[in-house]
Amino acid sequence: MGQQTLIYSFVARGTVILAEYTAFTGNFNAVAAQCLQKLPSSNNRFTYNCDGHTFNYLVENGVTYCVVAIESAGKQIPMAFLERVKEDFSKKYGAKAATASANGLNREYKSKLKEHMQFCIDHPEEINKIAKVKAQVSEVKGVMMENIEKVLERGEKIELLVDKTDNLRSQAQDFRQQGTKLKRKMWVDNMKIKLAVFGIIALLILLIILSICPGFRCF
């Protein structure tokens, strides 16, 4: 069993404490409750230092999760504990938390606070590894967002390329239409020339026949 680095924890709705646990005596619970009264209601994380202890808060959707730790515990273990409690509590008691009275969930959830606290105390290396992985995931999310922005920029270029391709396709279609019209015109002109030549030849034949047989008297 590891050193008792986490000494007090509670879950609250607004400023109403719904469940709490500690194996120690002292005024830390009163100090934690005073901090809760002045805590901003926005979703965020807060840490306050006092006499070698840290008062760590995680606020999400109107519910505040708090743990008091000795300062040597650092930040990762207290925050990892708060994340575990938040995930567990929100799944099991999300609906009850909205209407529960002060300490109304203490009987049900006090033992769970003790269990999560003991796990984080007994497995600090595992908690630190998980915290590091989460930090890396946050960095990856930042990189992914940057990459997505780059992809979007490429998307704009692709759209421009598609537009140019459409223009080329339209130009090719116009060229084909113009080529068809030109072929038709050339065919008509060629037929006119052939008819003209045929007419001239027929006229010449007719003139020769008339010169040999005036008035067609030879027939």
Side-chain angles (χ1 to χ4, degrees), residues 184-196:
R184 189 178 294 114
K185 185 176 182 298
M186 290 177 65
W187 182 83
V188 171
D189 291 342
N190 189 39
M191 287 302 297
K192 287 180 179 179
I193 292 171
K194 287 181 179 180
L195 289 172

Side-chain angles (χ1 to χ4, degrees), residues 4-9 21-24 28 53 67-70 117:
Q4 198 74 19
T5 54
L6 308 179
I7 62 175
Y8 172 65
S9 175
Y21 169 76
T22 185
F24 297 83
F28 44 80
H53 294 78
V67 64
V68 179
I70 61 173
M117 192 178 287

Side-chain angles (χ1 to χ4, degrees), residues 58 79-89 109 115-117 119-120 126-127 130 134:
L58 172 60
M79 284 301 169
F81 166 80
L82 294 178
E83 288 287 350
R84 285 176 64 88
V85 172
K86 181 199 75 174
E87 291 176 7
D88 182 51
F89 185 84
Y109 205 68
E115 181 182 322
H116 288 306
M117 192 178 287
F119 178 86
C120 292
E126 183 177 343
I127 294 299
I130 293 172
K134 287 185 175 180

Side-chain angles (χ1 to χ4, degrees), residues 6-53:
L6 308 179
I7 62 175
Y8 172 65
S9 175
F10 71 69
V11 180
R13 181 191 69 246
T15 58
V16 179
I17 295 175
L18 305 176
E20 60 184 337
Y21 169 76
T22 185
F24 297 83
T25 58
N27 70 338
F28 44 80
N29 54 347
V31 175
Q34 289 176 7
C35 291
L36 176 64
Q37 301 293 325
K38 299 179 180 180
L39 206 65
S41 59
S42 58
N43 291 357
N44 213 330
R45 298 180 180 187
F46 307 91
T47 298
Y48 304 99
N49 297 322
C50 181
D51 292 335
H53 294 78

Side-chain angles (χ1 to χ4, degrees), residues 143-156:
V143 172
M144 286 175 66
M145 288 298 292
E146 183 180 354
N147 289 342
I148 287 170
E149 289 175 0
K150 290 180 180 178
V151 169
L152 289 175
E153 288 176 4
R154 291 197 189 105
E156 290 173 2

